[in-house]
Amino acid sequence: CTPPTANMSNPTGRLRSLLPLLVASIATVWLWRAQAFAQELTAPLRLADVVRIAVEKRAEIAAAVARANAAAQRPAIVGALEDPMISPSIDHYPFEMMDEAQARGRYDWSIGIEQRFPLSDIRGQRRRAAQADARRTQADIDRVRLDVALEAQRAFFMLRERREMVRVLEEQLA
């Protein structure tokens, strides 16, 4: 038999000793959140309330909105021109004038600026494709909302049917 201090030096033993406390705290937080959510619900839960709560709380809708916002930014990115190139240079340092006093300020320098302009309409086509994709992802938000509402309605009617079956069975058994 090992003394209790020997188990504390073992990290696995420490985790095992903290496991009941961790489970109890998670259960407490979960019950507290469930109680707070239950207070939001009306006593006789109506179908409209179920759909409204599902549309407000589901993460799929927030994810679809985020995807649509990101896709709305895409046309400006793909339709933009390339960044201009600025090329400063010092050309032809006068080697025949090795005296520092005479050579100072006699550099032949230049600055070049280059901007590429596409000759075809490829950027416009890319921009239009990105705009179409943005419209598609915007429509996807409505699809996700309808899917969430459908799932909520199915769950509501399934729960209602089960409750009605329990009531009928209790009446038959009584």
Side-chain angles (χ1 to χ4, degrees), residues 93-99 102 106:
Y93 183 81
F95 285 105
E96 64 271 354
M97 303 170 125
M98 297 307 278
D99 185 15
Q102 289 180 336
R106 304 244 355 218

Side-chain angles (χ1 to χ4, degrees), residues 1 27 42 44 64 79 102 107 117 122 126 136 142 146 149 154 162 165 174:
C1 192
T42 57
Q102 289 180 336
Y107 297 103
F117 295 101
I122 189 76
R126 287 179 183 164
R136 182 192 57 80
D142 296 332
L146 289 173
R154 283 183 179 165
R162 298 292 163 105
M165 288 175 68

